[in-house]
Amino acid sequence: MRKQIRNLGVFLVLCYTALFLQVNRLTILEAEQLQDKPENTRAVLRDFSSPRGDIVTADDVVIATSVPSDDRYELLRTYPEGPLFAHVTGYFAFELGATGVERTYNDYLTGDAIDFSLDRLGDLFVDRDIVGDVILSLRADVQRVARDALGEREGSVVALDPRTGEILALWSYPSYDPNALATHDFAAAEDTASLLNADPEKPLLARSYRENFFPGSTFKVVTATAGIERGGVTPDSPSYPVETAYQPPSGSSVPNFGGSSCGGTLFEILQRSCNSSFARMGVEQIGGDTLRQVAEGFGFNQDVPIDLPQPQRSTFPADVDGTPFSQNPGIVAQLSIGQNDVRATPLQMALVAAAVANDGRIMTPHVMREVRDDQGDTVETYDPEVWATPMSPGTAQILREAMISVVEDGTASRLDDGLEGFVVGGKTGTAQLGTDPPSSHAWIIGFAGPEGETPHVAVAVIVEGQPGASEQTGGQVAAPIAAAVMRQVLAPEGEG
Amino acid sequence: MNLAARRTTELGLLVLGTMFVVGAYLLATLPEDSKIPTTVGPFLGIIVGLPLAAHVAVRRLAPQADGMLLPLASLLNGLGYVFVVRLDEAKARPAGLAGLQSVWMILGVGAFIATLVSVRDARKLERYRYTAGLAGIVLLLLPLMPVIGSTKNGSRIWVELGPVNFQPGEFAKLALAVFFAGYLVEKRELLAINRAFGPISLPDPKHLGPVLIAWAVALVVMVLERDLGSSLLFFTLFLVLLWVATERASYLAVGVLLFAGGAFLAFNIFSHVQERVDTWLDPWGKEKGYQVVQAAFAFADGGLTGTGLNLGVPLNIPVVESDFIFAAIGEELGLLGATGVLVGFLLMIGAGLRTAQQTDNDYERLLATGLTTLLGFQAFIIMGGVVRLLPLTGVTLPFISYGGSSLLANWVLLALLLRISHDAAERQTERMASAQLTEVG
């Protein structure tokens, strides 16, 4: 028995040696990789009591700042605008970690990412912490207009500058008050968090870029791009038959809203948002795989490289039910009008409008404009860059005119309310959700700017779950919101 | 060995360990504003008083016992206490674990002394082997009973009797160690008979009955109580003792194969076993992997020397004060502190196995081996789970984790080891004395 007991001892020593080696691996060898993992929120916790820069809008409204607190954490993070920018700034909380800009630009806010410049070497000898203020491209005035125009309806408003990718407004209703989560009363913060998490309307979720929806007819802009770029469609031909429904070679027929008849050339069918014609275009001129490739050119099925955490993907399926698109024209017909399995975030649809506005180029969307140190010197600026080029400048030119005609003569006639003197283009959408009772997401995407210039603003608005479902829903419900936001963006400074 | 020296060593080590624990406790609990909270006095009393009480008891009741075990257990227990207090007080809603854990420690040391008082000769436990065996099985399966059994964190290992919750598995393992040691001493010669199957010699199939029963019970615990840890611990205990008693490595092989087979079947049939293994291999981004991922982050923050007591953020890890306390130690005391804990357990294992080697009684030898195996393996599988060396099995870290059942059971375990150690040394002295007498005579 003695020999076995000795062997048992040896075996246990080996077990503990393995433990020792593994602890070495975690604490020393792989420590850096572990600390760099995105789900590692410990940096936030360490930063909790350290000085932290402000988050400021482009029009100088402070939307996140640290104020002295007389408890052991010394500083309390506060959000003076409450829910208005909650989905952008996120929150900076002890147990819940950080989200939004508080998370993505943490290293600037804490000052960790700010290099010492030569003239500040003297600071090394002064007991002062250098932190960075993050200046956003968002404008508080535009954000307020977006909030007021949407009102208490679930939905999102995205406004951005198509020339640079700078986001001007990013609003979703319902929102939440980040102060309730950043409080040092951790028990209360936890309670608030569980309440918010349990809320079926998901106020914590920034639907504007973290949730995707059926895009409905706004997707026809993507289909039209595919038709022009890859299907030989021009403004003059083909002229689609006037019909009440399109019957694909197999699968179910695609009817027009309310049984109406429509057809004609590209501009006409876009103005009327003609389901039968776009379904026919998708099946006869484009094909499902090509349509998917063009959609992916816009950013579908890809992670949007926005400087906010966890963006949701917009999706276009590779096939439906495992059947290739070539054998499934009924599905292709539905996908062509933004139904079946297409899903898009409001941000993605704003980028579709921005591509048309900006000669076919999508600039990387971003919320940060620059970072300043506590002396007010700029230490970092966001350089605009092209993310995707879904279409040629020529195609963009055609679609820009087509979308302008949708405002002038089509379903988006309310998009230029109060925008006299500006060029305004758009496309409505109504994504039907159910028939009993009928309800739908009301969509609009669009752009506006001074005559002869690249439009200064592109927008996407979705109002979710509106009663009724007609092709007019998007134009009536969503267009006035988009118009108000674009008016504010384009208003001369100091007005509005 | 000079017998008085053993107690002097013990006292010296106890004082050293206690100084460390007191220092850690003060560091962890003193507030920044230098106002001393009223609770510090009583808790310091517990930290200092309990090891001393235990020492005095050993001096009276088992004066010749090993001098390392009690200081090591006190050190680990004290360190655990500091962490339980520190973790609980940092919570948004402290659950008063500091007070509760000190009650458990008082009861634990009480049980330690009571065991030394009531078990005056470990060999007498052999008589109660079948009673202990029955008690062990009943305790092990008690959580499966309707009404009193209760499920927490996915494992059905709790029993609720009115206001008292306890994990009977912690006590079952002691009863089973008493049973296995007795049973195997009785049957070891019979079980050691091997039969040749061609070139391989294997245990006679008709003696495999007990192995199969133990295997079946282990599987029941694994499947019905979803308690991988107890199942593994229980089966390991049996297998190790069977091997040591019969000196037949073939039992080890058969047992390992059976367990592997059972585990493989369980993996394929039961989703929760599959989930555990999947989480072990790749915890990233999985809801169930959250704990081990957070534990890994804690160790990474700890580095070589740790963040320092109270300076880490270990509350990120769910139930850190219980199963995952090793991660909090790794974070705040670093590789050095974690290694200290490993060395502490290794030294206890060494002292336990040395006790097993020293005794001249086979029953005591098996019991000491069994108790040491329980302590060493339980610590190994939970720490292994926390650092992702093994799939996670929900057992407590002996002496360190928060929890009454675990503390009580481990203090009793320690008392039994000290009792065997003392008896063995005493008989050895007597033998030497009589040998000298013979020589002189």
Side-chain angles (χ1 to χ4, degrees), chain A residues 160-406:
Chain A
L160 51 85
D161 187 332
R163 301 166 297 178
T164 59
E166 284 190 339
I167 290 181
L168 304 168
L170 192 71
W171 169 252
S172 298
Y173 181 86
S175 184
Y176 65 95
D177 184 355
N179 293 304
L181 298 171
T183 170
H184 290 177
D185 182 349
F186 300 142
E190 228 171 85
D191 291 344
T192 307
S194 19
L195 270 179
L196 289 170
N197 276 318
D199 190 332
E201 294 183 356
K202 296 193 263 188
L204 283 177
L205 184 73
R207 302 142 187 267
S208 51
Y209 76 99
R210 290 191 55 203
E211 179 78 295
N212 55 28
F213 306 88
F214 300 120
S217 301
T218 55
F219 190 75
K220 286 170 184 161
V221 176
V222 176
T223 308
T225 306
I228 300 169
E229 295 257 306
R230 309 279 289 270
V233 175
T234 69
D236 307 316
S237 82
S239 182
Y240 292 95
V242 175
E243 54 196 346
T244 54
Y246 164 61
Q247 177 58 56
S250 68
S252 39
S253 110
V254 177
N256 290 315
F257 265 107
S260 63
S261 306
C262 56
T265 56
L266 180 64
F267 279 37
E268 290 167 304
I269 62 175
L270 204 65
Q271 285 162 18
R272 301 279 310 271
S273 194
C274 185
N275 283 349
S276 57
S277 304
F278 274 99
R280 191 179 280 277
M281 183 194 293
V283 173
E284 294 177 359
Q285 267 83 41
I286 305 170
D289 291 314
T290 305
L291 184 57
R292 176 173 53 80
Q293 286 162 19
V294 171
E296 285 174 355
F298 278 96
F300 283 74
N301 297 341
Q302 295 179 52
D303 291 323
V304 183
I306 190 174
D307 52 351
L308 287 174
Q310 297 174 294
Q312 176 67 273
R313 279 183 177 202
S314 302
T315 57
F316 190 96
D319 58 58
V320 173
D321 317 325
T323 316
F325 284 142
S326 53
Q327 291 158 34
N328 216 348
I331 296 294
V332 175
Q334 290 175 2
L335 292 170
S336 303
I337 58 168
Q339 292 182 3
N340 200 291
D341 223 3
V342 194
R343 288 178 157 266
T345 62
L347 173 65
Q348 175 66 61
M349 293 319 293
L351 292 175
V352 168
V356 172
N358 191 38
D359 288 332
R361 289 189 306 265
I362 297 178
M363 308 304 288
T364 302
H366 61 95
V367 297
M368 186 269 267
R369 174 176 278 178
E370 61 183 39
V371 179
R372 293 184 201 141
D373 65 14
D374 45 0
Q375 305 290 302
D377 299 330
T378 300
V379 291
E380 180 80 31
T381 49
Y382 198 106
D383 296 321
E385 55 188 356
V386 176
W387 172 43
T389 311
M391 68 185 91
S392 68
T395 306
Q397 175 72 29
I398 296 169
L399 283 176
R400 200 151 56 230
E401 280 163 24
M403 285 173 72
I404 291 167
S405 80
V406 175

